[in-house]
Amino acid sequence: MSRPVVVSGPSGCGKSTLVNKLLSKEHYKNKFLFSVSHTTRSPRPREEDGVAYHFTTKDNFRHMIDQGLFLEWAEFGGNLYGSSKKAVTDIASKAGNPVCLLDLEMNGVKQLKALDEQKKGLNCFYIFINVPSMEILEARLRERNTETEKSLKKRLDRAKQDASFGTTPGNFDVVIVNDDLDVAYSKFEAAMLDANPHLKPKPANNIFGDI
Ligand code: ADP
Ligand code: 5GP
C-alpha cells in the first residue's frame, strides 16, 4: 500500500487549494485519491455531495460513530467531521496502488498519530500547512466568503491552537508556509513525492537505462 498523506492546517490556510491543484494534474490522475470525509456542516456553493464531503445529519453521524465506522472523527466549529474506514479502504483496494490523501483538523491528526504509534494505524506521512500571519489568514477566509461572522471567529480562534500544534517539533513530517501559492505548491508536491518515492518521475535519458 502507498503511504497515506495527511494534510492539516488552520481553516483557510489553503489545504483544499493545494490538494486540488495536485489532484488536477493530468500526470497524477488516479495516483493520488482524496479520502472523502463525512460532515454535518452544510454544503458551500459548488461543493458536491460525495466529492467534497459526504454531507449528512448529526443523527446519522452519531449512528456511524456507534457502529464503529470511523477511523477518526472530531468536532470542529460546531460541526462533526470524520473519515470513514470505508473511504480509506476503498482507495487502498483500487488498482495501481494510489496514495490516499486525508485533509484533517488537529484532533483527527492526533487520533491517527496515536494509532500509528500503537502500530495499528496507516503509517501516514503528516504535512502541516501554515499561513504567513493570522491577519493574512483572516483576509483569506473573508475573501473566500464562506463563513458567517460567528463561524469566522470560531475558525480564527481555533487557528492559533492549530498553528501552535502544527509547528511543535515532532508533530509533523513537513511544515509548509503557504505564502506564495506556486512556491508552496512546489514544496507540497515535493513532500508528497518524498512520502511516496515510487511516484517520482524517472529521469529522462538515464545513461544506465531504465533502472
Ligand atoms: P482550507 O482548505 O485550508 O480551508 P482554502 O484552500 O479554501 O483553505 O483557501 C482559503 C482561501 O485562500 C481560498 O479563497 C483560496 O483561494 C485562498 N488561497 C489559498 N492559497 C492562497 C495563497 N497562497 N495566496 C492567496 N490566497 C490563497
Ligand atoms: P471545512 O468546513 O473548512 O471544510 O473544514 C473544517 C476543518 O475540518 C478543516 O480543518 C479540515 O481539515 C477538517 N476536516 C475535514 N474532514 C475531516 C475529517 O474527516 N476528520 C477530521 N478530523 N477533520 C476533518
Side-chain angles (χ1 to χ4, degrees), residues 9-20 44 103 129 136-137 139-141 143-146 155 178-182 184:
S11 169
C13 68
K15 298 178 295 296
S16 313
T17 305
L18 292 166
V19 166
N20 290 332
R44 294 174 186 147
D103 174 346
I129 310 295
I136 290 178
L137 182 69
R140 284 188 192 164
L141 275 174
E143 183 127 328
R144 192 173 72 185
N145 206 17
T146 52
R155 284 170 189 247
N178 180 16
D179 189 351
D180 177 89
L181 183 59
D182 291 337

Side-chain angles (χ1 to χ4, degrees), residues 38-41 58 61-62 73-76 78-82:
H38 281 69
T39 184
T40 63
R41 89 150 158 72
K58 280 200 171 145
F61 198 104
R62 295 250 171 241
W73 65 273
E75 190 268 334
F76 179 93
N79 290 301
L80 300 170
Y81 295 81

